[in-house]
Amino acid sequence: MKQSNDERFQSHDLWALPGLLAVLFVLAPMFPQNVYPGFAFFFRSSVFLLFGLTAYRLGAERVMGALRAHPLTLPAVASLLLLFLTFSYTPSLYHAKGSASLALGVWVLYLLTWTGPFSGRREKILLWSLVLGGVLAAVHGLYIQWMGPADLIESLKTSANYPGDMREEMIRSLEANRAMGRFGNPNQLAGCLVLSLWPLWALWKREDKTLSRVILGAGALVLAWGVYRTFSRSGLLVFLISLSLLAGFECYNRGWRFSWKQILAVFGALLILLLIVILAAPGGALGGRLLTVSTIVARLHFFRGAVRIIARHPWFGVGSEGFESFYCAELRPGDLESRYVHNAFLESAVEGGMIGAFFFLWMLFAVLFYLRRQWRISPERRIEVFAAFGAFISLFLLSMVDFHNRLLEMWLVPVFLVGAIHTPIPVPSALRRPRWAAAALTIILVSAWILLIFCRYWNEYSRMDGRYLAMDNQKFAARQAYERAVWFDRTDADSWRWIGLFWAEIPNPSAQMRRLECLRQAVRWAPRRASIRADYAEALFALGYTEHALEEILHAQRLFPVRPIYYERAAAFYRFLNQKEQAENQQQKAVQLQKEIEANRI
């Protein structure tokens, strides 16, 4: 008898799909994709390939038909379209394409988990892999913390690779001896470990073997200790909220029912208890960071800047990845710079305006209503549904005070848990007729892979190669590496800038013209980057274009009014032109700004 698509899809020859995905889940926390571009290429390419194979086996027309009936498709596709539309006015197209790669990767991963053969034992294997990845990340972070950062601190003290203020901040973080893992960021490690608790709990509820429960219990202890040793207050708070949600589920499962007044009363009592514990805790608790306010004040500055940007661009925002470029103009002396708002909702409003904020809330409530629907129609899967709800809420809370939503590793647990709880949607046989569906899906996947993953990887690989060669003083080879980077992505303003700086060291007119052209390209692709404008002004001045150079350096001041170096460069230009009064005014502004920065430094 001829097998149907479903029967072939569930056959033993597809064990490779969940097997490869399980390996990716284990490795992901050990190789964060913002640090390891090679693993980012491998992970995202594998997800695209696995989804393509899944769609081929099921039938592309059937997958696309099912997607039309899925409640998350419309808000997800609308959000992706808005993201691509912001490309037309983003101040950093290169970084915007990175955001698009992340968003598309998350969506394709969800489609893979939703359509893939991941039920029964295969689902359990993938849950174990998510837990194992988190435990390995915790063990690695704790081991590095136990070894101590003394050697790294000593190397940083003598390093010339970082600006002075950044080097001091890194040394302070290392001296606190916080577990950071391979993320290089304790808050991100804490978020990864908190999210790993949800698949662990789902497995605990399903497993009845003593050995499995012992292993899961040990894993829970490792994850909990890892969260604490990061000394991350946001991570610890979300961890406590997760425990409260689990306690509420257990009460509900035992038949206990509470009114909203009782829930609020319990929440208030727990909040008061938490405040008492914080006030009564010794000064060395949580690595001495329990009552530290500097990072809280920094986030308030980010939020203030975001609100001001939204007020100036209320409807359509400033484009994807536009916060950093516009925030520089809102900084006050002593405020910390940041690429991200550290709040997902505000960031959506900054980048997409009120429309972006609406799409953010639309997607949020679409997921919550989808989980509520699954809770009602699949009572036998309520453990998995609640685990998906808990993971999604945990990621949402973490993203309200940091930028966990910008890391693909943080999406693995909630995306898999939400995708794996679906109930198959019957698709009419008429949907099998269109022959264009497979070709359309193939073209979309391959085009997105080439533009957002393949070219991105080789660009980032060449950039990294150029950076290491430059550190090794191999400037000619470094310039060639950066030239390869811009070949793969012409919008890479930083690589154009580095190529220009390398040409600046060659003292002949043709090299200086090449320098000018490279920096002009950098300005083209990052028009609101003050540092690039300043370098462009230097190149113009070196070739005698003094008026244009002054315009550019003054433009840099408007883009970043609290950076003293731009006033110092303007003063140097005016002194060279023998305009002593203007030079003195610019120098005085630089000195005054430096005093204000030192007085208000967090």
Side-chain angles (χ1 to χ4, degrees):
M1 182 181 295
K2 187 177 179 180
Q3 286 183 311
S4 67
N5 272 345
D6 288 332
E7 290 168 338
R8 291 201 309 271
F9 195 61
Q10 294 295 337
S11 62
H12 66 279
D13 64 324
L14 282 176
W15 271 98
L17 270 70
L20 177 56
L21 194 58
V23 171
L24 294 175
F25 284 171
V26 172
L27 294 177
M30 299 299 293
F31 298 94
Q33 297 181 30
N34 60 332
V35 181
Y36 298 92
F39 184 74
F41 174 73
F42 174 64
F43 185 96
R44 299 183 192 195
S45 298
S46 299
V47 169
F48 270 64
L49 176 62
L50 292 177
F51 175 64
L53 291 174
T54 302
Y56 171 76
R57 286 299 186 95
L58 274 179
E61 67 279 0
R62 182 176 182 184
V63 170
M64 295 180 73
L67 279 175
R68 285 198 291 268
H70 196 286
L72 299 185
T73 299
L74 184 57
V77 171
S79 299
L80 284 172
L81 288 176
L82 177 65
L83 175 60
F84 285 112
L85 285 174
T86 64
F87 281 16
S88 62
Y89 57 93
T90 177
S92 180
L93 182 57
Y94 177 77
H95 289 134
K97 289 191 288 187
S99 292
S101 176
L102 169 66
L104 197 61
V106 170
W107 178 236
V108 173
L109 179 62
Y110 175 76
L111 295 180
L112 174 62
T113 59
W114 182 62
T115 59
F118 305 135
S119 58
R121 290 182 60 192
R122 296 169 183 177
E123 181 183 357
K124 186 180 291 188
I125 289 172
L126 289 168
L127 289 173
W128 275 102
S129 68
L130 289 169
V131 174
L132 180 58
V135 170
L136 289 176
V139 170
H140 177 267
L142 292 170
Y143 173 74
I144 297 299
Q145 185 186 47
W146 176 69
M147 292 294 291
D151 294 339
L152 184 56
I153 290 175
E154 287 302 318
S155 66
L156 278 173
K157 287 180 179 179
T158 58
S159 173
N161 296 326
Y162 302 97
D165 55 346
M166 182 183 293
R167 184 170 60 247
E168 292 173 6
E169 182 63 29
M170 292 174 69
I171 290 172
R172 282 197 296 268
S173 297
L174 288 169
E175 286 175 342
N177 198 20
R178 303 173 69 185
M180 297 187 291
R182 293 200 169 188
F183 290 95
N185 184 313
N187 293 330
Q188 292 170 10
L189 176 60
C192 178
L193 303 187
V194 170
L195 291 167
S196 298
L197 288 169
W198 289 102
L200 186 148
W201 174 77
L203 284 169
W204 175 274
K205 298 295 289 184
R206 297 168 98 188
E207 292 285 356
D208 53 4
K209 296 180 181 178
T210 302
L211 179 60
S212 297
R213 289 210 159 192
V214 169
I215 294 173
L216 290 170
L221 291 176
V222 171
L223 292 174
W225 184 242
V227 172
Y228 174 76
R229 293 301 296 176
T230 61
F231 304 143
S232 168
R233 289 170 295 185
S234 60
L236 191 58
L237 180 60
V238 176
F239 174 74
L240 295 175
I241 292 173
S242 299
L243 294 182
S244 301
L245 289 174
L246 292 175
F249 176 85
E250 293 298 335
C251 292
Y252 179 89
N253 211 31
R254 286 167 170 74
W256 300 358
R257 299 294 184 269
F258 302 96
S259 65
W260 280 107
K261 289 183 179 179
Q262 292 172 319
I263 293 173
L264 291 175
V266 171
F267 176 78
L270 291 175
L271 184 61
I272 293 172
L273 179 62
L274 179 62
L275 291 174
I276 293 173
V277 170
I278 291 173
L279 294 175
L286 210 65
R289 300 190 69 259
L290 189 60
L291 298 178
T292 302
V293 299
S294 58
T295 55
I296 298 175
V297 172
R299 281 166 172 74
L300 292 176
H301 290 168
F302 304 155
F303 299 164
R304 178 192 66 85
V307 170
R308 291 176 65 88
I309 294 170
I310 294 167
R312 296 178 192 274
H313 307 270
W315 296 110
F316 301 103
V318 297
S320 177
E321 292 283 347
F323 173 73
E324 181 182 24
S325 298
F326 283 83
Y327 178 54
C328 293
E330 307 294 342
L331 283 169
R332 298 172 301 185
D335 288 359
L336 292 178
E337 301 172 42
S338 177
R339 180 175 170 182
Y340 300 118
V341 184
H342 291 64
N343 181 286
F345 176 70
L346 285 177
E347 193 144 46
S348 66
V350 166
E351 296 183 350
M354 296 302 174
I355 298 175
F358 169 76
F359 279 12
F360 176 88
L361 294 175
W362 185 15
M363 192 71 216
L364 172 66
F365 284 104
V367 173
L368 293 178
F369 282 120
Y370 173 67
L371 293 174
R372 182 169 175 263
R373 175 174 174 266
Q374 295 298 322
W375 175 274
R376 290 181 171 180
I377 67 176
S378 304
E380 73 284 356
R381 298 275 289 168
R382 284 188 171 178
I383 291 174
E384 290 77 8
V385 173
F386 191 78
F389 169 77
F392 182 75
I393 291 299
S394 296
L395 178 60
F396 171 77
L397 294 175
L398 290 165
S399 300
M400 289 296 103
V401 291
D402 217 309
F403 53 94
H404 291 72
N405 58 303
R406 294 285 185 173
L407 304 172
L408 187 57
E409 294 78 20
M410 303 301 166
W411 288 95
L412 299 185
V413 171
V415 162
F416 177 76
L417 291 176
V418 173
I421 61 172
H422 77 284
T423 300
I425 301 173
V427 182
S429 58
L431 290 173
R432 297 178 182 274
R433 294 178 182 173
R435 296 294 182 181
W436 53 265
L441 187 60
T442 301
I443 291 172
I444 292 171
L445 286 176
V446 172
S447 300
W449 179 79
I450 291 174
L451 294 175
L452 299 177
I453 296 178
F454 177 80
C455 290
R456 186 77 179 191
Y457 163 68
W458 285 107
N459 167 267
E460 292 182 350
Y461 176 82
S462 300
R463 279 165 55 111
M464 186 178 294
D465 192 28
R467 183 165 61 251
Y468 286 128
L469 288 168
M471 291 170 62
D472 199 33
N473 207 32
Q474 301 182 46
K475 296 183 179 179
F476 178 75
R479 192 187 76 212
Q480 289 183 318
Y482 281 113
E483 287 171 349
R484 288 194 301 272
V486 297
W487 190 89
F488 283 103
D489 193 335
R490 303 286 294 177
T491 66
D492 183 0
D494 287 315
S495 291
W496 282 115
R497 175 174 177 261
W498 276 107
I499 296 169
L501 294 178
F502 288 131
W503 280 115
E505 298 182 6
I506 301 176
N508 65 65
S510 62
Q512 296 305 309
M513 289 301 298
R514 295 289 297 273
R515 168 196 183 188
L516 184 65
E517 179 57 33
C518 291
L519 290 171
R520 184 180 290 119
Q521 287 290 329
V523 169
R524 175 189 176 188
W525 297 115
R528 291 192 61 88
R529 188 88 61 82
S531 59
I532 291 177
R533 289 275 181 183
D535 290 336
Y536 184 45
E538 293 275 3
L540 288 166
F541 200 82
L543 289 171
Y545 302 108
T546 54
E547 292 186 8
H548 193 179
L550 284 171
E551 290 176 6
E552 291 296 332
I553 198 64
L554 294 176
H555 193 169
Q557 291 178 6
R558 292 192 295 272
L559 294 175
F560 205 145
V562 296
R563 179 64 67 83
I565 190 172
Y566 303 137
Y567 297 91
E568 293 172 356
R569 290 190 182 185
F573 289 172
Y574 282 122
R575 274 195 294 269
F576 186 86
L577 297 173
N578 204 30
Q579 299 181 25
K580 297 181 179 179
E581 183 178 352
Q582 290 92 332
E584 184 62 26
N585 288 337
Q586 293 289 327
Q587 191 63 43
Q588 287 179 358
K589 289 179 181 178
V591 172
Q592 181 62 29
L593 270 177
Q594 191 60 48
K595 290 179 180 178
E596 292 180 14
I597 290 172
E598 294 299 329
N600 297 291
R601 189 184 299 275
I602 297 177

